[in-house]
Amino acid sequence: MALRNGLRRAFAPRHRSLRTDGTSASGPRPARRATRAGLLSAAAVALLCTTASATAAPAGDPSPPPAASALQAEVPAGVTAGVAVFDRQTGTFTEQLNSSAQFRSASVVKLLIALDLLWNRTPGDLSATDRSRVDAMLRSSDDGAASAFWAANGGGAVIDRMVPRLGLTDTARPPSTHPGYWGYTALSARDTVRIYRYLLESAPAAVRDYVMGNLRQSTRCATDGYDQHFGIAGSFNRPWAVKQGWSGFDSGGCTATTGTGAGGADGTGTEAAAPGTRADAGADAVDLSRPALHTTGVVGAGDRSIVAVLTLHPNGTSYGKAYSDVGRLTRSLNVPGASRPAGTWVGTWGSGVRVRAQTTTGSAALTTLPAGVEVLVGCQVRGQQVSVPPYVNDWWAHLPQYGGYMTNIYLSTPDNQVPGVPVC
C-alpha cells in the first residue's frame, strides 16, 4: 500500500484549472487512485476499489467520543484557545481552559449589542427596521446591522454599560486607537458563559425568547459569505443555538448570502487589523494580529450546556483549516446533554468544492465548502462519474449536515470509496 500511495503522489498534478462541476481548484491533491492509460486497466481499478475498504484503515475521525469522564479539551497544534463548558443542570463547569484569557470578540460581541438595545424594552418596542437588523445580526452575523447599532448607541459605551449589568470581569471596550471597531472588544470564555447565563436565567422572557430564537435559526452562510456552522453547529445534533465569530480570513466558502449588510471578515467588517497589531487601554492583552475563530452557544434539551470556545490561529491559516481545528477541539469537549452526529470525519482538498442535491454535477448546488475543510460523511453511493485528470471517480459522499452530496474525488482518502463508510 505504501508503494502504491507513493506512485499516486508522483502522478498528482500540482495545479487544476477546471472541474466537471464548473468550479476551479488548485494545489497538490492527496494520494488517490486515478484511471491512467497504460498504468491501470478498468478491471484492475475495479478490483482495487472492491478490496481497499477491507484493508485500509478508517479515514477521518470515525471513532465515537470517549466516556464523559475521560473527555478533555484537545487543542490542535499551533492554536491558542480559551474554553469554558458550563452544565446548567449541575451548576458546574465540565471544561475550563484559559477561561479568563482575553480574545478579540469578533462577532460574539453582537450578543452584547443586542442586549444593550433591548435593555429596559421588549422586542415589540423595536421598529420594524431595527427588528429586521437584529434578526440578521444574530442569525446571519450581519456586520452592517452591528455597525449601525454600535454607532447609534455610543460605540464603546455599549460595552461600558453591559459590563456592570452582567457582572463581566474580562470584557472591555475596543482600544482607544480603534473606537469604532466593535469586533476588537475584549472577551473571555468565562464571560461568554455569563452572557448566556444572563440570557437563559435572568433576562425578561420576551428578550430571552427573541434572542435565543434567533440564535436557533443560525444560517449556514453568513451575510459575508462565510460558512458559520463550525464548532458547536458541526459537532452536535440539534437542539443547539449559536453565535459564532471570525476575523482575519480571506474566504469562507459559502455561496448563498442573505441579510442587509456587507463587510469583510465577520466581527470586524472594515476593521481589519494591521499585522502585528495589539490592542491597548482596557484590552491590552488582546492579540489582533492572528486569525480568530470562535464558537459559542448552548447545546442539548433545555439548553443544558453552555459552550464557549475562543481561538487564535497562526498567521496564514486558511479558513478551512481553522474551521476543522475548531471542530476537532469542540468534539473533544465534555458537553453534558449533547448528542453527537453519526458518521466519519474526512478531510477535503481543492477550492470551490460544491455540495449538490443529487449525485450529479447537473443537480442543484446547495453550497460550496471552505477550502480544505473536514466534512462528516454519513454514507456513500455511486453516481455520475467525475473526471479531474488524471483522476476518475463515480462515488459520491452523502454529507448529512449539508443535506447533500459531494464527489468522492475531493475527499482526502487513498481510494475511490471512503474506507469504513457504509454504502447508502
Side-chain angles (χ1 to χ4, degrees):
M1 186 61 114
L3 176 61
R4 209 164 62 218
N5 284 351
L7 287 173
R8 290 188 198 114
R9 289 191 181 93
F11 279 91
R14 295 194 60 80
H15 298 284
R16 325 232 178 276
S17 57
L18 185 66
R19 294 204 304 272
T20 56
D21 66 354
T23 55
S24 62
S26 61
R29 180 175 183 266
R32 171 180 301 283
R33 176 186 306 101
T35 301
R36 295 191 277 273
L39 292 177
L40 292 175
S41 68
V45 171
L47 176 61
L48 288 171
C49 284
T50 56
T51 60
S53 60
T55 59
D61 179 24
S63 59
S69 60
L71 283 169
Q72 61 181 9
E74 298 176 5
V75 182
V79 175
T80 299
V83 177
V85 179
F86 183 78
D87 181 357
R88 295 177 61 236
Q89 182 171 301
T90 63
T92 60
F93 284 91
T94 61
E95 299 276 4
Q96 288 194 88
L97 174 68
N98 301 324
S99 63
S100 64
Q102 291 178 311
F103 293 75
R104 70 185 186 276
S105 66
S107 280
V108 180
V109 76
K110 291 169 183 173
L111 292 171
L112 294 179
I113 294 173
L115 287 174
D116 180 70
L117 180 70
L118 292 165
W119 204 261
N120 293 328
R121 71 170 84 178
T122 70
D125 295 328
L126 298 178
S127 67
T129 297
D130 280 352
R131 187 164 182 132
S132 177
R133 283 174 172 167
V134 173
D135 292 347
M137 181 175 72
L138 296 179
R139 297 179 191 182
S140 303
S141 208
D142 188 278
D143 288 349
S147 294
F149 291 131
W150 185 262
N153 295 316
V158 169
I159 307 305
D160 296 341
R161 291 190 292 266
M162 294 308 300
V163 165
R165 286 169 175 173
L166 305 189
L168 306 178
T169 56
D170 311 311
T171 302
R173 62 156 62 199
S176 58
T177 52
H178 299 79
Y181 289 36
W182 44 263
Y184 289 179
T185 297
L187 188 66
S188 68
R190 68 180 181 183
D191 268 3
T192 303
V193 169
R194 291 184 179 111
I195 294 170
Y196 280 102
R197 290 195 68 187
Y198 168 79
L199 263 170
L200 296 168
E201 300 165 9
S202 303
V207 172
R208 177 197 65 215
D209 294 345
Y210 176 58
V211 173
M212 294 305 300
N214 272 309
L215 301 185
R216 297 186 209 286
Q217 298 178 69
S218 168
T219 61
R220 174 170 290 282
C221 295
T223 57
D224 58 5
Y226 279 72
D227 184 327
Q228 62 171 351
H229 278 186
F230 55 87
I232 294 168
S235 300
F236 308 114
N237 293 323
R238 290 185 184 270
W240 47 253
V242 295
K243 185 68 209 78
Q244 316 281 56
W246 56 95
S247 175
F249 298 97
D250 292 331
S251 174
C254 265
T255 53
T257 58
T258 59
T260 58
D266 183 17
T268 59
T270 58
E271 306 158 5
T277 301
R278 298 187 68 87
D280 59 8
D284 58 359
V286 178
D287 185 342
L288 303 177
S289 65
R290 287 182 287 168
L293 195 66
H294 311 321
T295 182
T296 77
V298 298
V299 180
D303 299 325
R304 176 170 175 177
S305 290
I306 300 171
V307 179
V309 177
L310 311 181
T311 65
L312 293 174
H313 302 259
N315 286 319
T317 299
S318 70
Y319 191 69
K321 173 67 163 60
Y323 189 115
S324 297
D325 282 346
V326 170
R328 291 182 178 185
L329 170 54
T330 306
R331 294 197 299 272
S332 77
L333 301 177
N334 179 0
V335 181
S339 169
R340 298 168 189 265
T344 299
W345 290 96
V346 184
T348 64
W349 67 278
S351 61
V353 177
R354 292 174 178 170
V355 179
R356 296 191 176 274
Q358 302 296 330
T359 58
T360 68
T361 59
S363 62
L366 304 179
T367 189
T368 54
L369 297 175
V373 74
E374 283 186 333
V375 293
L376 184 72
V377 178
C379 60
Q380 55 193 330
V381 63
R382 273 199 158 101
Q384 178 186 346
Q385 186 178 83
V386 176
S387 175
V388 181
Y391 308 111
V392 176
N393 198 338
D394 63 354
W395 283 94
W396 290 67
H398 181 251
L399 311 183
Q401 295 180 322
Y402 292 84
Y405 300 84
M406 66 170 287
T407 169
N408 279 23
I409 211 164
Y410 289 105
L411 292 176
S412 299
T413 62
D415 302 296
N416 283 1
Q417 285 182 265
V418 184
V421 172
V423 175
C424 298

